[in-house]
PDB file of all heavy atoms in Angstrom:
ATOM      1  N   ALA A 170     -19.877   0.647   6.582  1.00 98.00           N
ATOM      2  CA  ALA A 170     -20.105   0.467   5.147  1.00 98.00           C
ATOM      3  C   ALA A 170     -18.796   0.313   4.391  1.00 98.00           C
ATOM      4  O   ALA A 170     -17.865   1.098   4.560  1.00 98.00           O
ATOM      5  CB  ALA A 170     -20.881   1.650   4.575  1.00 98.00           C
ATOM      6  N   ASP A 171     -18.768  -0.721   3.549  1.00 98.00           N
ATOM      7  CA  ASP A 171     -17.735  -0.821   2.520  1.00 98.00           C
ATOM      8  C   ASP A 171     -18.216   0.032   1.349  1.00 98.00           C
ATOM      9  O   ASP A 171     -19.163  -0.338   0.662  1.00 98.00           O
ATOM     10  CB  ASP A 171     -17.559  -2.285   2.105  1.00 98.00           C
ATOM     11  CG  ASP A 171     -16.597  -2.442   0.923  1.00 98.00           C
ATOM     12  OD1 ASP A 171     -16.049  -1.435   0.441  1.00 98.00           O
ATOM     13  OD2 ASP A 171     -16.414  -3.598   0.484  1.00 98.00           O
ATOM     14  N   MET A 172     -17.578   1.182   1.172  1.00 98.00           N
ATOM     15  CA  MET A 172     -17.961   2.105   0.085  1.00 98.00           C
ATOM     16  C   MET A 172     -16.897   2.161  -0.999  1.00 98.00           C
ATOM     17  O   MET A 172     -16.777   3.170  -1.704  1.00 98.00           O
ATOM     18  CB  MET A 172     -18.197   3.516   0.637  1.00 98.00           C
ATOM     19  CG  MET A 172     -19.447   3.655   1.459  1.00 98.00           C
ATOM     20  SD  MET A 172     -19.909   5.401   1.663  1.00 98.00           S
ATOM     21  CE  MET A 172     -21.231   5.226   2.870  1.00 98.00           C
ATOM     22  N   SER A 173     -16.122   1.080  -1.132  1.00 98.00           N
ATOM     23  CA  SER A 173     -15.007   1.096  -2.083  1.00 98.00           C
ATOM     24  C   SER A 173     -15.417   1.591  -3.466  1.00 98.00           C
ATOM     25  O   SER A 173     -14.681   2.334  -4.103  1.00 98.00           O
ATOM     26  CB  SER A 173     -14.422  -0.313  -2.227  1.00 98.00           C
ATOM     27  OG  SER A 173     -13.850  -0.729  -1.008  1.00 98.00           O
ATOM     28  N   SER A 174     -16.600   1.179  -3.916  1.00 98.00           N
ATOM     29  CA  SER A 174     -16.911   1.432  -5.324  1.00 98.00           C
ATOM     30  C   SER A 174     -17.900   2.562  -5.548  1.00 98.00           C
ATOM     31  O   SER A 174     -18.302   2.792  -6.686  1.00 98.00           O
ATOM     32  CB  SER A 174     -17.389   0.144  -5.996  1.00 98.00           C
ATOM     33  OG  SER A 174     -18.439  -0.448  -5.275  1.00 98.00           O
ATOM     34  N   ASP A 175     -18.290   3.283  -4.475  1.00 98.00           N
ATOM     35  CA  ASP A 175     -19.118   4.461  -4.778  1.00 98.00           C
ATOM     36  C   ASP A 175     -18.841   5.661  -3.879  1.00 98.00           C
ATOM     37  O   ASP A 175     -19.578   6.659  -3.960  1.00 98.00           O
ATOM     38  CB  ASP A 175     -20.612   4.124  -4.813  1.00 98.00           C
ATOM     39  CG  ASP A 175     -21.193   3.722  -3.462  1.00 98.00           C
ATOM     40  OD1 ASP A 175     -20.424   3.569  -2.492  1.00 98.00           O
ATOM     41  OD2 ASP A 175     -22.423   3.559  -3.380  1.00 98.00           O
ATOM     42  N   ILE A 176     -17.787   5.601  -3.080  1.00 98.00           N
ATOM     43  CA  ILE A 176     -17.501   6.762  -2.239  1.00 98.00           C
ATOM     44  C   ILE A 176     -17.242   7.997  -3.103  1.00 98.00           C
ATOM     45  O   ILE A 176     -16.624   7.924  -4.161  1.00 98.00           O
ATOM     46  CB  ILE A 176     -16.319   6.479  -1.290  1.00 98.00           C
ATOM     47  CG1 ILE A 176     -16.250   7.592  -0.245  1.00 98.00           C
ATOM     48  CG2 ILE A 176     -14.999   6.313  -2.050  1.00 98.00           C
ATOM     49  CD1 ILE A 176     -15.568   7.187   1.024  1.00 98.00           C
ATOM     50  N   LEU A 177     -17.785   9.109  -2.660  1.00 98.00           N
ATOM     51  CA  LEU A 177     -17.656  10.407  -3.347  1.00 98.00           C
ATOM     52  C   LEU A 177     -18.304  10.412  -4.734  1.00 98.00           C
ATOM     53  O   LEU A 177     -18.065  11.322  -5.525  1.00 98.00           O
ATOM     54  CB  LEU A 177     -16.210  10.883  -3.421  1.00 98.00           C
ATOM     55  CG  LEU A 177     -15.646  11.370  -2.089  1.00 98.00           C
ATOM     56  CD1 LEU A 177     -14.238  11.915  -2.287  1.00 98.00           C
ATOM     57  CD2 LEU A 177     -16.537  12.446  -1.479  1.00 98.00           C
ATOM     58  N   SER A 178     -19.140   9.411  -4.997  1.00 98.00           N
ATOM     59  CA  SER A 178     -19.920   9.446  -6.243  1.00 98.00           C
ATOM     60  C   SER A 178     -21.157  10.315  -6.059  1.00 98.00           C
ATOM     61  O   SER A 178     -21.867  10.609  -7.019  1.00 98.00           O
ATOM     62  CB  SER A 178     -20.349   8.040  -6.645  1.00 98.00           C
ATOM     63  OG  SER A 178     -21.278   7.517  -5.710  1.00 98.00           O
ATOM     64  N   ARG A 179     -21.420  10.711  -4.794  1.00 98.00           N
ATOM     65  CA  ARG A 179     -22.618  11.495  -4.444  1.00 98.00           C
ATOM     66  C   ARG A 179     -22.375  12.038  -3.044  1.00 98.00           C
ATOM     67  O   ARG A 179     -21.504  11.528  -2.331  1.00 98.00           O
ATOM     68  CB  ARG A 179     -23.852  10.595  -4.490  1.00 98.00           C
ATOM     69  CG  ARG A 179     -23.719   9.350  -3.615  1.00 98.00           C
ATOM     70  CD  ARG A 179     -24.839   8.331  -3.815  1.00 98.00           C
ATOM     71  NE  ARG A 179     -24.584   7.129  -3.010  1.00 98.00           N
ATOM     72  CZ  ARG A 179     -25.329   6.032  -3.029  1.00 98.00           C
ATOM     73  NH1 ARG A 179     -26.389   5.953  -3.799  1.00 98.00           N
ATOM     74  NH2 ARG A 179     -25.021   4.985  -2.274  1.00 98.00           N
ATOM     75  N   PRO A 180     -23.151  13.046  -2.636  1.00 98.00           N
ATOM     76  CA  PRO A 180     -22.975  13.559  -1.271  1.00 98.00           C
ATOM     77  C   PRO A 180     -23.217  12.447  -0.247  1.00 98.00           C
ATOM     78  O   PRO A 180     -23.967  11.500  -0.507  1.00 98.00           O
ATOM     79  CB  PRO A 180     -24.038  14.660  -1.174  1.00 98.00           C
ATOM     80  CG  PRO A 180     -24.224  15.117  -2.592  1.00 98.00           C
ATOM     81  CD  PRO A 180     -24.111  13.854  -3.415  1.00 98.00           C
ATOM     82  N   LEU A 181     -22.582  12.583   0.889  1.00 97.00           N
ATOM     83  CA  LEU A 181     -22.556  11.497   1.870  1.00 97.00           C
ATOM     84  C   LEU A 181     -22.944  12.053   3.243  1.00 97.00           C
ATOM     85  O   LEU A 181     -22.459  13.111   3.646  1.00 97.00           O
ATOM     86  CB  LEU A 181     -21.131  10.932   1.892  1.00 97.00           C
ATOM     87  CG  LEU A 181     -20.825   9.743   2.777  1.00 97.00           C
ATOM     88  CD1 LEU A 181     -21.770   8.585   2.508  1.00 97.00           C
ATOM     89  CD2 LEU A 181     -19.386   9.303   2.530  1.00 97.00           C
ATOM     90  N   ASP A 182     -23.809  11.314   3.936  1.00 97.00           N
ATOM     91  CA  ASP A 182     -24.242  11.724   5.268  1.00 97.00           C
ATOM     92  C   ASP A 182     -23.381  10.989   6.296  1.00 97.00           C
ATOM     93  O   ASP A 182     -23.803   9.998   6.901  1.00 97.00           O
ATOM     94  CB  ASP A 182     -25.724  11.379   5.431  1.00 97.00           C
ATOM     95  CG  ASP A 182     -26.303  11.837   6.756  1.00 97.00           C
ATOM     96  OD1 ASP A 182     -25.623  12.595   7.474  1.00 97.00           O
ATOM     97  OD2 ASP A 182     -27.429  11.424   7.077  1.00 97.00           O
ATOM     98  N   VAL A 183     -22.162  11.466   6.487  1.00 98.00           N
ATOM     99  CA  VAL A 183     -21.175  10.752   7.307  1.00 98.00           C
ATOM    100  C   VAL A 183     -21.658  10.460   8.730  1.00 98.00           C
ATOM    101  O   VAL A 183     -21.413   9.360   9.238  1.00 98.00           O
ATOM    102  CB  VAL A 183     -19.820  11.504   7.316  1.00 98.00           C
ATOM    103  CG1 VAL A 183     -18.861  10.929   8.357  1.00 98.00           C
ATOM    104  CG2 VAL A 183     -19.185  11.450   5.927  1.00 98.00           C
ATOM    105  N   PRO A 184     -22.343  11.394   9.408  1.00 98.00           N
ATOM    106  CA  PRO A 184     -22.710  11.099  10.803  1.00 98.00           C
ATOM    107  C   PRO A 184     -23.584   9.852  10.983  1.00 98.00           C
ATOM    108  O   PRO A 184     -23.629   9.291  12.078  1.00 98.00           O
ATOM    109  CB  PRO A 184     -23.464  12.372  11.231  1.00 98.00           C
ATOM    110  CG  PRO A 184     -22.879  13.449  10.383  1.00 98.00           C
ATOM    111  CD  PRO A 184     -22.629  12.792   9.046  1.00 98.00           C
ATOM    112  N   ARG A 185     -24.257   9.408   9.922  1.00 98.00           N
ATOM    113  CA  ARG A 185     -25.005   8.148  10.005  1.00 98.00           C
ATOM    114  C   ARG A 185     -24.108   6.941  10.255  1.00 98.00           C
ATOM    115  O   ARG A 185     -24.589   5.893  10.690  1.00 98.00           O
ATOM    116  CB  ARG A 185     -25.650   7.856   8.643  1.00 98.00           C
ATOM    117  CG  ARG A 185     -27.033   8.324   8.472  1.00 98.00           C
ATOM    118  CD  ARG A 185     -27.541   7.839   7.114  1.00 98.00           C
ATOM    119  NE  ARG A 185     -28.905   8.252   6.923  1.00 98.00           N
ATOM    120  CZ  ARG A 185     -29.968   7.542   7.310  1.00 98.00           C
ATOM    121  NH1 ARG A 185     -29.814   6.350   7.858  1.00 98.00           N
ATOM    122  NH2 ARG A 185     -31.175   8.011   7.130  1.00 98.00           N
ATOM    123  N   PHE A 186     -22.833   7.067   9.883  1.00 98.00           N
ATOM    124  CA  PHE A 186     -21.951   5.900   9.854  1.00 98.00           C
ATOM    125  C   PHE A 186     -20.942   5.943  10.995  1.00 98.00           C
ATOM    126  O   PHE A 186     -20.366   6.984  11.297  1.00 98.00           O
ATOM    127  CB  PHE A 186     -21.191   5.838   8.517  1.00 98.00           C
ATOM    128  CG  PHE A 186     -22.097   5.641   7.335  1.00 98.00           C
ATOM    129  CD1 PHE A 186     -22.661   6.733   6.684  1.00 98.00           C
ATOM    130  CD2 PHE A 186     -22.427   4.363   6.902  1.00 98.00           C
ATOM    131  CE1 PHE A 186     -23.517   6.558   5.612  1.00 98.00           C
ATOM    132  CE2 PHE A 186     -23.290   4.181   5.829  1.00 98.00           C
ATOM    133  CZ  PHE A 186     -23.838   5.279   5.181  1.00 98.00           C
ATOM    134  N   SER A 187     -20.724   4.781  11.592  1.00 98.00           N
ATOM    135  CA  SER A 187     -19.652   4.683  12.585  1.00 98.00           C
ATOM    136  C   SER A 187     -18.323   4.435  11.901  1.00 98.00           C
ATOM    137  O   SER A 187     -17.276   4.849  12.409  1.00 98.00           O
ATOM    138  CB  SER A 187     -19.960   3.566  13.572  1.00 98.00           C
ATOM    139  OG  SER A 187     -21.074   3.935  14.364  1.00 98.00           O
ATOM    140  N   LEU A 188     -18.353   3.757  10.767  1.00 99.00           N
ATOM    141  CA  LEU A 188     -17.115   3.498  10.035  1.00 99.00           C
ATOM    142  C   LEU A 188     -17.432   3.294   8.556  1.00 99.00           C
ATOM    143  O   LEU A 188     -18.358   2.570   8.205  1.00 99.00           O
ATOM    144  CB  LEU A 188     -16.386   2.275  10.608  1.00 99.00           C
ATOM    145  CG  LEU A 188     -14.946   2.051  10.133  1.00 99.00           C
ATOM    146  CD1 LEU A 188     -14.109   1.385  11.239  1.00 99.00           C
ATOM    147  CD2 LEU A 188     -14.857   1.209   8.870  1.00 99.00           C
ATOM    148  N   ILE A 189     -16.653   3.962   7.730  1.00 98.00           N
ATOM    149  CA  ILE A 189     -16.715   3.807   6.274  1.00 98.00           C
ATOM    150  C   ILE A 189     -15.317   3.417   5.818  1.00 98.00           C
ATOM    151  O   ILE A 189     -14.336   4.024   6.273  1.00 98.00           O
ATOM    152  CB  ILE A 189     -17.131   5.135   5.599  1.00 98.00           C
ATOM    153  CG1 ILE A 189     -18.581   5.502   5.954  1.00 98.00           C
ATOM    154  CG2 ILE A 189     -16.919   5.080   4.091  1.00 98.00           C
ATOM    155  CD1 ILE A 189     -18.924   6.963   5.662  1.00 98.00           C
ATOM    156  N   TYR A 190     -15.214   2.420   4.961  1.00 98.00           N
ATOM    157  CA  TYR A 190     -13.898   2.127   4.379  1.00 98.00           C
ATOM    158  C   TYR A 190     -14.019   1.993   2.879  1.00 98.00           C
ATOM    159  O   TYR A 190     -15.089   1.637   2.357  1.00 98.00           O
ATOM    160  CB  TYR A 190     -13.256   0.890   5.015  1.00 98.00           C
ATOM    161  CG  TYR A 190     -13.998  -0.414   4.859  1.00 98.00           C
ATOM    162  CD1 TYR A 190     -13.756  -1.258   3.771  1.00 98.00           C
ATOM    163  CD2 TYR A 190     -14.913  -0.831   5.824  1.00 98.00           C
ATOM    164  CE1 TYR A 190     -14.422  -2.471   3.640  1.00 98.00           C
ATOM    165  CE2 TYR A 190     -15.583  -2.047   5.693  1.00 98.00           C
ATOM    166  CZ  TYR A 190     -15.333  -2.860   4.604  1.00 98.00           C
ATOM    167  OH  TYR A 190     -15.990  -4.058   4.473  1.00 98.00           O
ATOM    168  N   ALA A 191     -12.918   2.300   2.198  1.00 98.00           N
ATOM    169  CA  ALA A 191     -12.941   2.291   0.731  1.00 98.00           C
ATOM    170  C   ALA A 191     -11.531   2.135   0.193  1.00 98.00           C
ATOM    171  O   ALA A 191     -10.657   2.958   0.478  1.00 98.00           O
ATOM    172  CB  ALA A 191     -13.542   3.598   0.202  1.00 98.00           C
ATOM    173  N   GLY A 192     -11.317   1.079  -0.587  1.00 98.00           N
ATOM    174  CA  GLY A 192     -10.101   1.017  -1.380  1.00 98.00           C
ATOM    175  C   GLY A 192     -10.123   2.180  -2.358  1.00 98.00           C
ATOM    176  O   GLY A 192     -11.179   2.525  -2.892  1.00 98.00           O
ATOM    177  N   ALA A 193      -8.959   2.781  -2.596  1.00 97.00           N
ATOM    178  CA  ALA A 193      -8.925   4.020  -3.383  1.00 97.00           C
ATOM    179  C   ALA A 193      -9.136   3.803  -4.871  1.00 97.00           C
ATOM    180  O   ALA A 193      -9.456   4.753  -5.594  1.00 97.00           O
ATOM    181  CB  ALA A 193      -7.586   4.733  -3.166  1.00 97.00           C
ATOM    182  N   GLN A 194      -8.964   2.566  -5.348  1.00 97.00           N
ATOM    183  CA  GLN A 194      -8.732   2.349  -6.782  1.00 97.00           C
ATOM    184  C   GLN A 194      -9.951   2.462  -7.684  1.00 97.00           C
ATOM    185  O   GLN A 194      -9.903   2.007  -8.821  1.00 97.00           O
ATOM    186  CB  GLN A 194      -8.039   1.014  -6.999  1.00 97.00           C
ATOM    187  CG  GLN A 194      -8.832  -0.216  -6.598  1.00 97.00           C
ATOM    188  CD  GLN A 194      -8.561  -0.654  -5.176  1.00 97.00           C
ATOM    189  OE1 GLN A 194      -8.125   0.121  -4.350  1.00 97.00           O
ATOM    190  NE2 GLN A 194      -8.832  -1.905  -4.871  1.00 97.00           N
ATOM    191  N   LYS A 195     -11.041   3.045  -7.198  1.00 98.00           N
ATOM    192  CA  LYS A 195     -12.179   3.293  -8.083  1.00 98.00           C
ATOM    193  C   LYS A 195     -12.389   4.811  -8.244  1.00 98.00           C
ATOM    194  O   LYS A 195     -12.143   5.351  -9.316  1.00 98.00           O
ATOM    195  CB  LYS A 195     -13.437   2.606  -7.565  1.00 98.00           C
ATOM    196  CG  LYS A 195     -13.407   1.090  -7.803  1.00 98.00           C
ATOM    197  CD  LYS A 195     -13.138   0.332  -6.541  1.00 98.00           C
ATOM    198  CE  LYS A 195     -13.545  -1.124  -6.514  1.00 98.00           C
ATOM    199  NZ  LYS A 195     -13.220  -2.003  -7.588  1.00 98.00           N
ATOM    200  N   ASN A 196     -12.798   5.471  -7.173  1.00 97.00           N
ATOM    201  CA  ASN A 196     -13.105   6.905  -7.280  1.00 97.00           C
ATOM    202  C   ASN A 196     -12.044   7.829  -6.693  1.00 97.00           C
ATOM    203  O   ASN A 196     -12.184   9.046  -6.791  1.00 97.00           O
ATOM    204  CB  ASN A 196     -14.436   7.200  -6.570  1.00 97.00           C
ATOM    205  CG  ASN A 196     -15.640   6.916  -7.442  1.00 97.00           C
ATOM    206  OD1 ASN A 196     -15.536   6.905  -8.667  1.00 97.00           O
ATOM    207  ND2 ASN A 196     -16.781   6.685  -6.825  1.00 97.00           N
ATOM    208  N   LEU A 197     -11.010   7.287  -6.067  1.00 98.00           N
ATOM    209  CA  LEU A 197     -10.135   8.139  -5.260  1.00 98.00           C
ATOM    210  C   LEU A 197      -8.686   8.208  -5.725  1.00 98.00           C
ATOM    211  O   LEU A 197      -7.998   9.183  -5.421  1.00 98.00           O
ATOM    212  CB  LEU A 197     -10.135   7.651  -3.798  1.00 98.00           C
ATOM    213  CG  LEU A 197     -11.490   7.532  -3.098  1.00 98.00           C
ATOM    214  CD1 LEU A 197     -11.296   6.959  -1.702  1.00 98.00           C
ATOM    215  CD2 LEU A 197     -12.193   8.876  -3.038  1.00 98.00           C
ATOM    216  N   GLY A 198      -8.196   7.181  -6.397  1.00 98.00           N
ATOM    217  CA  GLY A 198      -6.781   7.197  -6.747  1.00 98.00           C
ATOM    218  C   GLY A 198      -6.302   5.827  -7.170  1.00 98.00           C
ATOM    219  O   GLY A 198      -7.082   5.022  -7.688  1.00 98.00           O
ATOM    220  N   PRO A 199      -5.016   5.542  -6.945  1.00 98.00           N
ATOM    221  CA  PRO A 199      -4.473   4.253  -7.359  1.00 98.00           C
ATOM    222  C   PRO A 199      -4.751   3.189  -6.290  1.00 98.00           C
ATOM    223  O   PRO A 199      -5.146   3.516  -5.165  1.00 98.00           O
ATOM    224  CB  PRO A 199      -2.978   4.530  -7.438  1.00 98.00           C
ATOM    225  CG  PRO A 199      -2.750   5.538  -6.355  1.00 98.00           C
ATOM    226  CD  PRO A 199      -3.998   6.397  -6.324  1.00 98.00           C
ATOM    227  N   SER A 200      -4.525   1.942  -6.606  1.00 98.00           N
ATOM    228  CA  SER A 200      -4.609   0.899  -5.590  1.00 98.00           C
ATOM    229  C   SER A 200      -3.465   1.068  -4.590  1.00 98.00           C
ATOM    230  O   SER A 200      -2.433   1.664  -4.892  1.00 98.00           O
ATOM    231  CB  SER A 200      -4.552  -0.485  -6.238  1.00 98.00           C
ATOM    232  OG  SER A 200      -3.350  -0.669  -6.950  1.00 98.00           O
ATOM    233  N   GLY A 201      -3.676   0.533  -3.386  1.00 98.00           N
ATOM    234  CA  GLY A 201      -2.627   0.608  -2.365  1.00 98.00           C
ATOM    235  C   GLY A 201      -2.901   1.615  -1.266  1.00 98.00           C
ATOM    236  O   GLY A 201      -2.097   1.762  -0.348  1.00 98.00           O
ATOM    237  N   VAL A 202      -4.014   2.322  -1.348  1.00 98.00           N
ATOM    238  CA  VAL A 202      -4.435   3.241  -0.282  1.00 98.00           C
ATOM    239  C   VAL A 202      -5.867   2.869   0.090  1.00 98.00           C
ATOM    240  O   VAL A 202      -6.688   2.623  -0.791  1.00 98.00           O
ATOM    241  CB  VAL A 202      -4.423   4.715  -0.741  1.00 98.00           C
ATOM    242  CG1 VAL A 202      -4.821   5.640   0.409  1.00 98.00           C
ATOM    243  CG2 VAL A 202      -3.072   5.107  -1.306  1.00 98.00           C
ATOM    244  N   THR A 203      -6.144   2.806   1.381  1.00 98.00           N
ATOM    245  CA  THR A 203      -7.501   2.571   1.860  1.00 98.00           C
ATOM    246  C   THR A 203      -7.944   3.783   2.666  1.00 98.00           C
ATOM    247  O   THR A 203      -7.288   4.146   3.650  1.00 98.00           O
ATOM    248  CB  THR A 203      -7.570   1.348   2.802  1.00 98.00           C
ATOM    249  OG1 THR A 203      -6.752   0.303   2.277  1.00 98.00           O
ATOM    250  CG2 THR A 203      -8.994   0.891   2.990  1.00 98.00           C
ATOM    251  N   LEU A 204      -9.016   4.406   2.258  1.00 98.00           N
ATOM    252  CA  LEU A 204      -9.578   5.506   3.036  1.00 98.00           C
ATOM    253  C   LEU A 204     -10.504   4.932   4.104  1.00 98.00           C
ATOM    254  O   LEU A 204     -11.365   4.085   3.797  1.00 98.00           O
ATOM    255  CB  LEU A 204     -10.363   6.446   2.107  1.00 98.00           C
ATOM    256  CG  LEU A 204     -11.158   7.551   2.804  1.00 98.00           C
ATOM    257  CD1 LEU A 204     -10.227   8.525   3.534  1.00 98.00           C
ATOM    258  CD2 LEU A 204     -12.026   8.299   1.792  1.00 98.00           C
ATOM    259  N   VAL A 205     -10.316   5.386   5.342  1.00 98.00           N
ATOM    260  CA  VAL A 205     -11.215   5.006   6.432  1.00 98.00           C
ATOM    261  C   VAL A 205     -11.721   6.286   7.092  1.00 98.00           C
ATOM    262  O   VAL A 205     -10.926   7.190   7.384  1.00 98.00           O
ATOM    263  CB  VAL A 205     -10.496   4.109   7.470  1.00 98.00           C
ATOM    264  CG1 VAL A 205     -11.382   3.869   8.694  1.00 98.00           C
ATOM    265  CG2 VAL A 205     -10.092   2.777   6.840  1.00 98.00           C
ATOM    266  N   ILE A 206     -13.018   6.357   7.283  1.00 98.00           N
ATOM    267  CA  ILE A 206     -13.645   7.460   8.021  1.00 98.00           C
ATOM    268  C   ILE A 206     -14.330   6.813   9.210  1.00 98.00           C
ATOM    269  O   ILE A 206     -15.204   5.956   9.032  1.00 98.00           O
ATOM    270  CB  ILE A 206     -14.660   8.207   7.134  1.00 98.00           C
ATOM    271  CG1 ILE A 206     -13.975   8.784   5.885  1.00 98.00           C
ATOM    272  CG2 ILE A 206     -15.358   9.305   7.932  1.00 98.00           C
ATOM    273  CD1 ILE A 206     -14.952   9.374   4.854  1.00 98.00           C
ATOM    274  N   VAL A 207     -13.923   7.177  10.414  1.00 98.00           N
ATOM    275  CA  VAL A 207     -14.399   6.408  11.580  1.00 98.00           C
ATOM    276  C   VAL A 207     -14.675   7.332  12.767  1.00 98.00           C
ATOM    277  O   VAL A 207     -13.927   8.274  13.037  1.00 98.00           O
ATOM    278  CB  VAL A 207     -13.376   5.297  11.950  1.00 98.00           C
ATOM    279  CG1 VAL A 207     -11.993   5.846  12.246  1.00 98.00           C
ATOM    280  CG2 VAL A 207     -13.875   4.433  13.104  1.00 98.00           C
TER     281      VAL A 207
END
Side-chain angles (χ1 to χ4, degrees):
Chain A
D171 174 1
M172 289 196 189
S173 295
S174 53
D175 67 353
I176 192 156
L177 287 184
S178 67
R179 55 189 176 184
L181 183 54
D182 183 10
V183 170
R185 266 185 179 271
F186 296 88
S187 292
L188 192 149
I189 293 164
Y190 62 90
Q194 64 268 22
K195 285 105 159 47
N196 277 337
L197 305 177
S200 60
V202 182
T203 319
L204 173 64
V205 173
I206 301 172
V207 58

